[in-house]
Amino acid sequence: MHMLGASDLQTGDLHVSKGELTAALKHYTSFIDTNPAAAIGYSKRAAVYIQQKRFKEALLDLEKGLDAEPKYIQGYLQRASLLRQICRYGDGEKDYQRVLELKPGHSAAEKELSQLQQAKSSLDLAINSLESGDAAKAQEYLDKVVLVLSPDCSKARLLKSRALLKTKDYSGAIAEAGRVLKSDENDLEALLLRGKGYYYLADHDVAIRHYQKGLRLDPEHTELKKEYFKLKNLLKKSRNAEDLAEQGKLRMAVEEFKVVLAIDPDHLAFNVNLHLSLCKVLVKLGRAKDAVSSCSSALEINEELVEALMKRGEAKILLEEWESAVEDLKVVVNKDHQNREARELLMKAEKGVKMSKRKDWYKVLGISKTASAADIKRAYKKLALQWHPDKNVENKEEAEGKFREVAEAYEVLGDEDKRAKYDRGEDLDEQMMGPGGPGFGFNQGGQTFTFHFEGGFPGGFGFH
């Protein structure tokens, strides 16, 4: 039967072939106005709407067309395909079944129905996988099946965004939620997930804007409220911790940093700087072991964080872990040649290594590094008496070694100039045990051991 306005269909088709969709819509609408009971007009206009992602209008047209012609197989197939595309699987299945009722064995309907059922099953499996904690498996179902057969399924895109958040692919999560917002800028779940993606990238201002937009649409949305207030609390407490540190209230700052770090242990992009700030405060407090732990936590998140490596090196110096400090600080200096503070710390650590490998004369005499000259003389006198070979006949060989070591210790620490040089880490090897004035000695097997001290034996006593 010849239809009025058939030329509008032909002209519309021509515009579609050229990609001129707006012009095509105008002609298809003209045909529909002239032939409101002809399903083909609605079908063709719906096809344009689908290309434009105007799915609600497309479904409305297809419904009108099928109302006008309830046995129009092409209309059912077209609508079922669209319903599968947007993952309204139950409704799409009904349309395919209707086609098979009208034309049993319809090959296209059978094939597409099978694809729809496969997509539906895969979406269910993806949901179950994510709920059981296997985000990677969920993403696999979504990418390989669901989003291939249902590319405009917002539910699948949002599910994928959640899976990407779980696997810490925050940029990917932002992109997936963004695709949903292109078709519906007020989708609350998309605003939530995109906001969380920006949050975990530490782009807090953008995250807050997404949360606020969602809360304007639904002020009582549970997840949006939770994330919004968590972020506001995080920012407030971190500012407070930094302020306390700047004001020199270091112990209070430490406790506040710990509180902030406990708010969201997974927020690595932000926590890395909190760990570093805490490390700096702990170094200032002299809590070196805790400082090493905090700086190491920062470096576990970002191994390229030079300042954390430098501060850890400084803390290791406080612990006298010289070689480990040198290792850290050499990396810093190699990466940042202009870092004067790191170079100075490295020199200090290298000096510490050197000093740690020489004999500790203070330890030999059993005194502290702050001992007075009188303390040194008293300790020497006591140990010299204790280990003099004449008084240790039964263990003479051990006593000779101990006696010699005690004498060497006193030769350095009993001399103000030598002690100062020793404390500064200067090399005394050439000056040690040089010739001196009258001394004392002992015989062993005809061999004489002599130790020289100016003024004889300290304290005006000797051995006979």
Side-chain angles (χ1 to χ4, degrees), residues 295-318:
C295 272
S296 294
S297 294
L299 289 163
E300 283 173 18
I301 299 170
N302 180 6
E303 62 182 10
E304 299 298 319
L305 195 59
V306 171
E307 192 174 4
L309 203 57
M310 183 178 78
K311 283 294 168 185
R312 188 172 73 176
E314 186 176 353
K316 287 177 178 178
I317 287 173
L318 294 176

mmCIF file of all heavy atoms in Angstrom, residues 295-318:
data_model
loop_
_atom_site.group_PDB
_atom_site.id
_atom_site.type_symbol
_atom_site.label_atom_id
_atom_site.label_comp_id
_atom_site.label_asym_id
_atom_site.label_seq_id
_atom_site.Cartn_x
_atom_site.Cartn_y
_atom_site.Cartn_z
ATOM 1 N N CYS A 295 59.109 6.875 58.189
ATOM 2 C CA CYS A 295 59.693 7.167 56.879
ATOM 3 C C CYS A 295 59.677 5.925 55.982
ATOM 4 O O CYS A 295 59.474 6.031 54.769
ATOM 5 C CB CYS A 295 61.122 7.687 57.034
ATOM 6 S SG CYS A 295 61.185 9.484 57.238
ATOM 7 N N SER A 296 59.871 4.752 56.585
ATOM 8 C CA SER A 296 59.799 3.515 55.799
ATOM 9 C C SER A 296 58.386 3.304 55.263
ATOM 10 O O SER A 296 58.220 2.831 54.138
ATOM 11 C CB SER A 296 60.226 2.323 56.663
ATOM 12 O OG SER A 296 61.591 2.423 57.007
ATOM 13 N N SER A 297 57.377 3.663 56.058
ATOM 14 C CA SER A 297 55.986 3.556 55.587
ATOM 15 C C SER A 297 55.752 4.466 54.385
ATOM 16 O O SER A 297 55.070 4.086 53.429
ATOM 17 C CB SER A 297 55.014 3.926 56.714
ATOM 18 O OG SER A 297 55.085 2.986 57.770
ATOM 19 N N ALA A 298 56.325 5.668 54.430
ATOM 20 C CA ALA A 298 56.199 6.592 53.295
ATOM 21 C C ALA A 298 56.890 6.019 52.059
ATOM 22 O O ALA A 298 56.364 6.090 50.942
ATOM 23 C CB ALA A 298 56.800 7.957 53.659
ATOM 24 N N LEU A 299 58.061 5.407 52.262
ATOM 25 C CA LEU A 299 58.833 4.863 51.137
ATOM 26 C C LEU A 299 58.204 3.603 50.562
ATOM 27 O O LEU A 299 58.375 3.291 49.385
ATOM 28 C CB LEU A 299 60.263 4.582 51.580
ATOM 29 C CG LEU A 299 61.099 5.849 51.819
ATOM 30 C CD1 LEU A 299 62.335 5.532 52.644
ATOM 31 C CD2 LEU A 299 61.485 6.512 50.497
ATOM 32 N N GLU A 300 57.444 2.879 51.363
ATOM 33 C CA GLU A 300 56.707 1.718 50.843
ATOM 34 C C GLU A 300 55.642 2.167 49.853
ATOM 35 O O GLU A 300 55.332 1.462 48.889
ATOM 36 C CB GLU A 300 56.048 0.956 52.002
ATOM 37 C CG GLU A 300 57.025 0.098 52.788
ATOM 38 C CD GLU A 300 56.380 -0.500 54.014
ATOM 39 O OE1 GLU A 300 55.129 -0.536 54.078
ATOM 40 O OE2 GLU A 300 57.109 -0.937 54.924
ATOM 41 N N ILE A 301 55.090 3.357 50.081
ATOM 42 C CA ILE A 301 54.081 3.904 49.172
ATOM 43 C C ILE A 301 54.743 4.522 47.946
ATOM 44 O O ILE A 301 54.302 4.332 46.816
ATOM 45 C CB ILE A 301 53.214 4.962 49.906
ATOM 46 C CG1 ILE A 301 52.490 4.321 51.094
ATOM 47 C CG2 ILE A 301 52.207 5.595 48.941
ATOM 48 C CD1 ILE A 301 51.820 5.321 52.013
ATOM 49 N N ASN A 302 55.822 5.266 48.184
ATOM 50 C CA ASN A 302 56.532 5.933 47.082
ATOM 51 C C ASN A 302 58.032 5.838 47.328
ATOM 52 O O ASN A 302 58.605 6.628 48.081
ATOM 53 C CB ASN A 302 56.096 7.398 46.981
ATOM 54 C CG ASN A 302 56.814 8.133 45.862
ATOM 55 O OD1 ASN A 302 57.560 7.539 45.087
ATOM 56 N ND2 ASN A 302 56.600 9.435 45.771
ATOM 57 N N GLU A 303 58.659 4.851 46.688
ATOM 58 C CA GLU A 303 60.086 4.613 46.918
ATOM 59 C C GLU A 303 60.970 5.727 46.366
ATOM 60 O O GLU A 303 62.157 5.793 46.674
ATOM 61 C CB GLU A 303 60.503 3.276 46.306
ATOM 62 C CG GLU A 303 60.321 3.193 44.812
ATOM 63 C CD GLU A 303 60.708 1.833 44.248
ATOM 64 O OE1 GLU A 303 60.943 0.903 45.040
ATOM 65 O OE2 GLU A 303 60.776 1.712 43.014
ATOM 66 N N GLU A 304 60.386 6.623 45.558
ATOM 67 C CA GLU A 304 61.157 7.740 44.982
ATOM 68 C C GLU A 304 61.109 8.997 45.843
ATOM 69 O O GLU A 304 61.614 10.042 45.443
ATOM 70 C CB GLU A 304 60.622 8.062 43.582
ATOM 71 C CG GLU A 304 60.735 6.923 42.582
ATOM 72 C CD GLU A 304 62.178 6.525 42.331
ATOM 73 O OE1 GLU A 304 63.034 7.433 42.223
ATOM 74 O OE2 GLU A 304 62.460 5.318 42.258
ATOM 75 N N LEU A 305 60.486 8.903 47.010
ATOM 76 C CA LEU A 305 60.329 10.084 47.870
ATOM 77 C C LEU A 305 61.657 10.380 48.569
ATOM 78 O O LEU A 305 61.961 9.842 49.637
ATOM 79 C CB LEU A 305 59.214 9.847 48.886
ATOM 80 C CG LEU A 305 58.669 11.069 49.623
ATOM 81 C CD1 LEU A 305 58.103 12.102 48.650
ATOM 82 C CD2 LEU A 305 57.599 10.653 50.619
ATOM 83 N N VAL A 306 62.454 11.247 47.955
ATOM 84 C CA VAL A 306 63.822 11.520 48.409
ATOM 85 C C VAL A 306 63.850 12.079 49.826
ATOM 86 O O VAL A 306 64.710 11.705 50.635
ATOM 87 C CB VAL A 306 64.517 12.497 47.425
ATOM 88 C CG1 VAL A 306 65.844 12.964 47.988
ATOM 89 C CG2 VAL A 306 64.728 11.815 46.078
ATOM 90 N N GLU A 307 62.916 12.954 50.149
ATOM 91 C CA GLU A 307 62.925 13.574 51.480
ATOM 92 C C GLU A 307 62.715 12.531 52.574
ATOM 93 O O GLU A 307 63.330 12.612 53.648
ATOM 94 C CB GLU A 307 61.842 14.650 51.569
ATOM 95 C CG GLU A 307 61.998 15.520 52.800
ATOM 96 C CD GLU A 307 61.021 16.692 52.836
ATOM 97 O OE1 GLU A 307 60.156 16.783 51.935
ATOM 98 O OE2 GLU A 307 61.127 17.492 53.771
ATOM 99 N N ALA A 308 61.871 11.531 52.303
ATOM 100 C CA ALA A 308 61.655 10.465 53.290
ATOM 101 C C ALA A 308 62.926 9.647 53.478
ATOM 102 O O ALA A 308 63.266 9.230 54.593
ATOM 103 C CB ALA A 308 60.502 9.568 52.846
ATOM 104 N N LEU A 309 63.642 9.416 52.386
ATOM 105 C CA LEU A 309 64.897 8.662 52.452
ATOM 106 C C LEU A 309 65.939 9.435 53.265
ATOM 107 O O LEU A 309 66.688 8.853 54.062
ATOM 108 C CB LEU A 309 65.401 8.405 51.029
ATOM 109 C CG LEU A 309 66.355 7.228 50.816
ATOM 110 C CD1 LEU A 309 65.731 5.928 51.286
ATOM 111 C CD2 LEU A 309 66.742 7.130 49.353
ATOM 112 N N MET A 310 65.980 10.753 53.065
ATOM 113 C CA MET A 310 66.937 11.585 53.798
ATOM 114 C C MET A 310 66.613 11.594 55.293
ATOM 115 O O MET A 310 67.512 11.454 56.137
ATOM 116 C CB MET A 310 66.928 13.013 53.251
ATOM 117 C CG MET A 310 67.964 13.905 53.918
ATOM 118 S SD MET A 310 67.998 15.573 53.233
ATOM 119 C CE MET A 310 66.568 16.289 54.038
ATOM 120 N N LYS A 311 65.329 11.750 55.607
ATOM 121 C CA LYS A 311 64.937 11.795 57.015
ATOM 122 C C LYS A 311 65.157 10.448 57.692
ATOM 123 O O LYS A 311 65.501 10.374 58.874
ATOM 124 C CB LYS A 311 63.475 12.241 57.152
ATOM 125 C CG LYS A 311 63.278 13.729 56.968
ATOM 126 C CD LYS A 311 63.954 14.483 58.106
ATOM 127 C CE LYS A 311 64.048 15.974 57.839
ATOM 128 N NZ LYS A 311 64.807 16.666 58.888
ATOM 129 N N ARG A 312 64.953 9.367 56.942
ATOM 130 C CA ARG A 312 65.227 8.046 57.514
ATOM 131 C C ARG A 312 66.721 7.893 57.785
ATOM 132 O O ARG A 312 67.125 7.336 58.812
ATOM 133 C CB ARG A 312 64.738 6.936 56.577
ATOM 134 C CG ARG A 312 64.834 5.553 57.217
ATOM 135 C CD ARG A 312 64.181 4.483 56.385
ATOM 136 N NE ARG A 312 64.958 4.151 55.189
ATOM 137 C CZ ARG A 312 64.631 3.182 54.337
ATOM 138 N NH1 ARG A 312 63.526 2.472 54.534
ATOM 139 N NH2 ARG A 312 65.372 2.937 53.271
ATOM 140 N N GLY A 313 67.534 8.399 56.868
ATOM 141 C CA GLY A 313 68.978 8.381 57.088
ATOM 142 C C GLY A 313 69.363 9.150 58.331
ATOM 143 O O GLY A 313 70.209 8.707 59.123
ATOM 144 N N GLU A 314 68.732 10.309 58.525
ATOM 145 C CA GLU A 314 69.016 11.127 59.714
ATOM 146 C C GLU A 314 68.622 10.389 60.990
ATOM 147 O O GLU A 314 69.347 10.419 61.990
ATOM 148 C CB GLU A 314 68.247 12.452 59.615
ATOM 149 C CG GLU A 314 68.576 13.429 60.714
ATOM 150 C CD GLU A 314 67.889 14.778 60.544
ATOM 151 O OE1 GLU A 314 67.255 15.009 59.481
ATOM 152 O OE2 GLU A 314 67.977 15.601 61.478
ATOM 153 N N ALA A 315 67.471 9.697 60.941
ATOM 154 C CA ALA A 315 67.030 8.937 62.112
ATOM 155 C C ALA A 315 67.989 7.782 62.401
ATOM 156 O O ALA A 315 68.283 7.479 63.568
ATOM 157 C CB ALA A 315 65.618 8.399 61.880
ATOM 158 N N LYS A 316 68.493 7.159 61.366
ATOM 159 C CA LYS A 316 69.446 6.054 61.556
ATOM 160 C C LYS A 316 70.754 6.549 62.168
ATOM 161 O O LYS A 316 71.411 5.822 62.918
ATOM 162 C CB LYS A 316 69.706 5.352 60.226
ATOM 163 C CG LYS A 316 68.519 4.503 59.757
ATOM 164 C CD LYS A 316 68.775 3.882 58.395
ATOM 165 C CE LYS A 316 67.606 3.007 57.961
ATOM 166 N NZ LYS A 316 67.803 2.425 56.615
ATOM 167 N N ILE A 317 71.125 7.791 61.851
ATOM 168 C CA ILE A 317 72.316 8.382 62.486
ATOM 169 C C ILE A 317 72.085 8.492 63.995
ATOM 170 O O ILE A 317 72.968 8.181 64.790
ATOM 171 C CB ILE A 317 72.622 9.771 61.879
ATOM 172 C CG1 ILE A 317 73.202 9.606 60.466
ATOM 173 C CG2 ILE A 317 73.596 10.553 62.761
ATOM 174 C CD1 ILE A 317 73.387 10.913 59.713
ATOM 175 N N LEU A 318 70.884 8.915 64.382
ATOM 176 C CA LEU A 318 70.564 9.017 65.809
ATOM 177 C C LEU A 318 70.641 7.655 66.489
ATOM 178 O O LEU A 318 70.993 7.553 67.665
ATOM 179 C CB LEU A 318 69.156 9.609 65.989
ATOM 180 C CG LEU A 318 68.948 11.059 65.538
ATOM 181 C CD1 LEU A 318 67.490 11.464 65.695
ATOM 182 C CD2 LEU A 318 69.846 12.005 66.331
#
